[in-house]
Amino acid sequence: MLDHTDKRILEELAKDGRISMKKLGEKVHLTGQAAANRVVKLEEDRVIEGYTVRLNYKKTGYAVHAFVTVFTKNPDHRPFLAFVETQRHFVAHAFKIGGEGCYLMECRFPSNEELDGLLNELTRYANYKLSMVISEV
């Protein structure tokens, strides 16, 4: 169970995963060594599974952002899932979902033409509903 200090450590690391342990300790009212020990424990307990970077997708050339709700045509989803694996350069996240649809894919593309190409291939395996991101709020 996470205590208040662990939760504060996670909040600070979510804001800046590269923060020094000394500065982290100051923010959560611990010594740098005590903060480091807590972080190691959170990693060992798999509360922290890894660290990542936030990308500016426009600057990386992937400005087109879309969510695709997938409705599979066949009870055997393996062909669709194999297709998704071949598209990982566009599919940022894929989730099996309940409710409307079978899967939800978050995708990024360099152009609408690339998006159209993926959708055309996708129709071999499933129907879909496309939602384009206008802006983040």
Side-chain angles (χ1 to χ4, degrees):
M1 189 66 121
L2 300 178
D3 66 13
H4 177 72
T5 303
D6 287 337
K7 291 176 184 176
R8 287 281 300 123
I9 288 171
L10 295 174
E11 288 172 12
E12 293 301 327
L13 287 173
K15 290 179 201 171
D16 180 5
R18 296 181 58 175
I19 191 171
S20 73
M21 291 300 111
K22 180 180 179 189
K23 190 169 184 176
L24 177 62
E26 290 170 3
K27 289 184 175 268
V28 300
H29 308 291
L30 295 173
T31 65
Q33 185 60 50
N37 290 341
R38 289 237 186 180
V39 169
V40 167
K41 177 87 168 92
L42 291 166
E43 290 169 344
E44 288 172 349
D45 291 345
R46 308 245 334 126
V47 173
I48 297 173
E49 294 182 336
Y51 298 86
T52 188
V53 297
R54 284 189 303 263
L55 299 176
N56 180 324
Y57 287 99
K58 289 179 184 165
K59 291 184 178 182
T60 63
Y62 285 79
V64 177
H65 190 189
F67 288 87
V68 182
T69 304
V70 177
F71 305 86
T72 55
K73 297 177 181 179
N74 189 315
D76 181 7
H77 296 186
R78 287 177 293 188
F80 163 73
L81 295 172
F83 167 73
V84 170
E85 286 306 312
T86 69
Q87 301 299 311
R88 282 293 179 181
H89 52 290
F90 296 132
V91 179
H93 299 97
F95 306 96
K96 185 174 184 179
I97 60 172
E100 184 180 355
C102 302
Y103 296 90
L104 179 66
M105 299 188 307
E106 179 181 6
C107 304
R108 293 199 177 262
F109 302 91
S111 68
N112 284 332
E113 290 77 20
E114 296 281 349
L115 165 60
D116 188 47
L118 179 135
L119 295 175
N120 285 333
E121 287 185 54
L122 177 60
T123 58
R124 294 179 17 215
Y125 308 98
N127 295 317
Y128 65 86
K129 180 180 83 174
L130 177 67
S131 299
M132 298 292 294
V133 173
I134 304 301
S135 65
E136 188 172 340
V137 293

